[in-house]
Amino acid sequence: MAGGDERGTTERVLALVGLLQRRRVWTGPELAARLGVTARTVRRDVERLRALGYPVHAANGVGGGYQLGAGQELPPLLLDDTEAIATAVALLTGTVTGADEAALGALAKLDRVLPSRLRHEVRALSSAVESFGGGRAPVAPDVLMTLARACRDEVEAGFDYPSGDRVRRRRVEPYRLVASDRRWYLLAYDLDRDDWRTFRVDRMTDVAARGWRFRPRPAPDAAAYVQEGVASRVYRHQARFLVHAPAEAVRAQIPPAAAVVRPLDGDRCEVVSGAGSLDFALMHVVLLGHRFTVLDPPELRDRCRVLAERLLGAMPDVDNAQSDTPG
């Protein structure tokens, strides 16, 4: 019988947390009526919540009552079905921005407790969300959830991925999901190539978590590695420039997917970019409008000379133009 009383108390205290999170202030009688208990029981349950770390404030008089305040630590949050679905959809579709690794951590925790009856609603709502103006490439919610879960649980994953004109099965140890302004990427250790690789999630098909767990390897910085791969390594040519401008100013001019900007000192930075041709990489740095020096590759310096002569040759002869002007 004591076990039943304890369960009833636990369920009532959880219900009290849900009510306090739903509205700013509740009076004691309001809470008692909602929970079907006396005001004295409400006071005891509030003390139980305080002991668990919930900062519940109480005030007397007009406008007073019980209020859940901000504390030094974040206590557990309770979500109803609608709130859980909305949170999962926001995380899956990338509408939560600016802290993507933290968002994926929250998604992994939510996935652990999300009832199966809600999963189809999350999937349906995620597919109905679209964006414009540079939104991310669409990714199937189940794929993102599977990969986030594999990263969390440290289990191998497998998927089909295009390579040249073929599609090959890849076996990987997934490490991190990384989001750019346009796409989701997976940083993983490729077991067949024995090296770290970056994969675009929107290009994956037949994604599945495998049953084998792995011991995490020493890994590179996920965001920096993926950015450098997207901006440089995937291209035929890679170029490095010393740009005479603060890194913050240059980053504001170049999308993260187009180049890696590394600060050197207050007035200079290094720009690493890739392109299908060296002329194209050079053109983009010229258009930044800052003084710069070519660091690598050596042949790019020769291209600078050739293009400079070509540009000078495109200018009309000033002296001849003046002599031909009617007096």
Side-chain angles (χ1 to χ4, degrees):
M1 188 70 176
D5 292 343
E6 182 177 347
R7 179 179 178 183
T9 300
T10 301
E11 292 176 350
R12 189 179 66 248
V13 170
L14 289 174
L16 176 58
V17 174
L19 291 173
L20 291 173
Q21 290 177 346
R22 189 175 304 169
R23 204 169 84 184
R24 185 172 178 271
V25 178
W26 292 85
T27 66
E30 286 176 329
L31 290 174
R34 285 295 191 102
L35 298 172
V37 297
T38 64
R40 182 180 178 184
T41 300
V42 170
R43 289 194 294 271
R44 287 201 301 262
D45 289 346
V46 166
E47 290 303 321
R48 291 186 177 97
L49 289 180
R50 288 170 176 162
L52 293 172
Y54 288 90
V56 182
H57 305 310
N60 297 321
V62 178
Y66 293 103
Q67 178 180 355
L68 188 63
Q72 295 182 348
E73 296 182 356
L74 180 67
L77 299 176
L78 295 181
L79 303 176
D80 61 24
D81 288 1
T82 302
E83 293 167 337
I85 292 171
T87 302
V89 170
L91 295 169
L92 284 167
T93 57
T95 53
V96 174
T97 58
D100 291 293
E101 187 170 344
L104 284 169
L107 177 62
K109 292 178 181 178
L110 187 60
D111 171 60
R112 185 175 296 172
V113 298
L114 193 68
S116 58
R117 59 187 170 80
L118 300 183
R119 293 182 185 276
H120 75 281
E121 296 187 48
V122 171
R123 187 182 306 114
L125 284 174
S126 297
S127 64
V129 176
E130 298 184 6
S131 61
F132 66 91
R136 289 179 191 149
V139 175
D142 288 348
V143 170
L144 200 60
M145 188 80 84
T146 298
L147 294 174
R149 191 184 305 120
C151 291
R152 177 197 68 197
D153 296 338
E154 297 174 353
V155 296
E156 294 181 12
F159 49 84
D160 293 337
Y161 198 78
S163 177
D165 57 351
R166 298 179 57 186
V167 175
R168 302 176 185 272
R169 190 69 181 171
R170 310 298 282 266
R171 299 182 307 117
V172 303
E173 295 175 354
Y175 177 62
R176 287 287 188 276
L177 280 163
V178 178
S180 73
D181 56 342
R182 293 186 295 173
R183 296 185 177 92
W184 284 102
Y185 297 90
L186 174 70
L187 174 62
Y189 193 86
D190 193 313
L191 294 171
D192 295 320
R193 289 156 178 78
D194 198 26
D195 199 3
W196 292 97
R197 290 288 189 272
T198 298
F199 302 94
R200 276 178 49 177
V201 176
D202 59 299
R203 289 182 174 176
M204 298 178 181
T205 54
D206 195 16
V207 179
R210 295 157 59 86
W212 295 280
R213 299 201 60 178
F214 62 87
R215 184 186 299 274
R217 307 168 187 264
D221 180 273
Y225 187 91
V226 171
Q227 184 193 6
E228 187 169 347
V230 171
S232 176
R233 287 193 302 267
V234 297
Y235 292 98
R236 178 183 177 188
H237 299 284
Q238 290 78 42
R240 289 194 310 125
F241 304 91
L242 173 64
V243 178
H244 296 266
E248 294 78 9
V250 176
R251 285 197 182 108
Q253 295 177 279
I254 305 177
V260 177
V261 181
R262 301 189 180 112
L264 297 178
D265 52 43
D267 298 320
R268 301 184 307 164
C269 61
E270 180 182 302
V271 174
V272 180
S273 65
S277 72
L278 291 175
D279 289 357
F280 192 77
L282 186 60
M283 177 190 70
H284 277 278
V285 177
V286 169
L287 293 177
L288 293 177
H290 308 297
R291 289 192 305 114
F292 68 92
T293 302
V294 174
L295 299 177
D296 281 310
E299 57 267 28
L300 186 53
R301 300 167 193 165
D302 298 331
R303 291 302 303 166
C304 282
R305 188 176 299 106
V306 171
L307 292 176
E309 292 174 353
R310 186 178 302 168
L311 290 171
L312 288 172
M315 296 175 61
D317 186 280
V318 176
D319 293 335
N320 290 340
Q322 290 177 346
S323 63
D324 292 341
T325 302

